[in-house]
Amino acid sequence: MLDEEEGVLLKASWERLAGGSPEARAVGRELLLRWSEPHRRYHTLTHLWATLRAVDVLADEAISPDLVRYAVWFHDAVYETEPGLDEDRSAALARELLPMLGMAPERIGEVARLVLMTKEHAPGPDDSDGQVLSDADLSVLAGAPDEYLAYTAAVRAEYRRVPDEAFRAGRSRVLRGMLDAPQIFHTEFGRLHWEARARSNMLAELDRLAAEAAF
């Protein structure tokens, strides 16, 4: 959970991005309520704040960093542990709420596109904003070992209704798919500073999953 100071910082971050109009504040409150839903364990306000901070690190590699930030706010705004559908619904929410801020339709469309990109985290080679969003969202993979363990525990808690065997199989499939890709991170910063550590963390998790399955 965020502490009080971080909660204040998140609200200030939204106001810097969207302004202080009544409409902007209403949209911000709606988003914060969604990110605070009690069933969440990883996709929480803490993840939102960490992803926004990662965008700040990568912002020089973006074409429209503020649109990336809007996409961060919306990318898991709908989260019911239904991969694919969650992103579709989050993009639809962006299309529903962003007109209240007076945002131009083409910019709203770009935010929605970025949200949908997080289904696969596979931005194209010319999609600088998609690369920044994808890397920021996945930056948790490059955390210190204890941080990575906390992340995996939180993910398992979100899928607590899934039996252990099915979860291990699904999680292992996801990890292997990412590890088999030429690269996890697409920005220059991500490749230089996050790639190797993320691969080490993910390989260690695969080993733990295999050990659990052996018992």
Side-chain angles (χ1 to χ4, degrees):
M1 292 294 291
L2 286 172
D3 61 29
E4 184 176 352
E5 180 182 0
E6 288 175 313
V8 170
L9 291 171
L10 252 181
K11 291 177 183 178
S13 176
W14 173 258
E15 189 163 336
R16 283 195 303 272
L17 180 65
S21 71
E23 293 80 8
R25 290 182 178 180
V27 172
R29 283 194 298 271
E30 170 71 14
L31 291 171
L32 289 171
L33 284 171
R34 287 175 174 271
W35 282 91
S36 303
E37 291 165 335
H39 67 277
R40 297 174 183 245
R41 294 297 182 272
Y42 170 64
H43 294 86
T44 62
L45 290 170
T46 299
H47 170 59
L48 172 60
W49 181 236
T51 308
L52 288 169
R53 287 186 296 166
V55 170
D56 290 342
V57 171
L58 303 172
D60 287 346
E61 299 192 48
I63 301 297
S64 302
D66 278 352
L67 291 185
V68 177
R69 292 183 177 100
Y70 276 113
V72 170
W73 277 91
F74 279 95
H75 82 289
D76 285 319
V78 178
Y79 189 74
E80 298 296 339
T81 63
E82 295 180 309
L85 289 176
D86 286 338
E87 290 84 358
D88 288 343
R89 292 163 181 162
S90 294
L93 185 69
R95 295 190 187 99
E96 177 184 348
L97 295 183
L98 286 175
M100 294 177 63
L101 309 184
M103 186 179 288
E106 62 271 17
R107 288 170 62 82
I108 295 172
E110 176 63 2
V111 173
R113 182 193 73 80
L114 289 169
V115 170
L116 292 172
M117 184 278 307
T118 63
K119 285 185 181 184
E120 302 293 339
H121 292 93
D126 298 322
D127 184 7
S128 297
D129 289 347
Q131 292 173 6
V132 168
L133 176 60
S134 181
D135 283 14
D137 194 26
L138 296 180
S139 60
V140 65
L141 300 175
D146 59 334
E147 294 170 338
Y148 189 85
L149 284 173
Y151 150 70
T152 59
V155 170
R156 180 65 185 103
E158 285 189 334
Y159 286 89
R160 53 194 173 275
R161 294 185 180 87
V162 178
D164 288 341
E165 184 177 353
F167 178 82
R168 284 193 297 266
R171 180 70 180 174
S172 296
R173 188 165 52 249
V174 169
L175 291 169
R176 290 193 189 97
M178 295 179 73
L179 287 166
D180 287 345
Q183 59 194 34
I184 298 167
F185 297 100
H186 301 273
T187 63
E188 182 178 1
F189 185 96
R191 291 193 301 271
L192 288 174
H193 298 281
W194 295 339
E195 184 81 20
R197 190 164 54 196
R199 287 184 175 274
S200 294
N201 282 334
M202 295 163 73
L203 287 167
E205 183 183 359
L206 275 174
D207 285 346
R208 286 192 297 272
L209 291 169
E212 291 171 8
F215 282 100

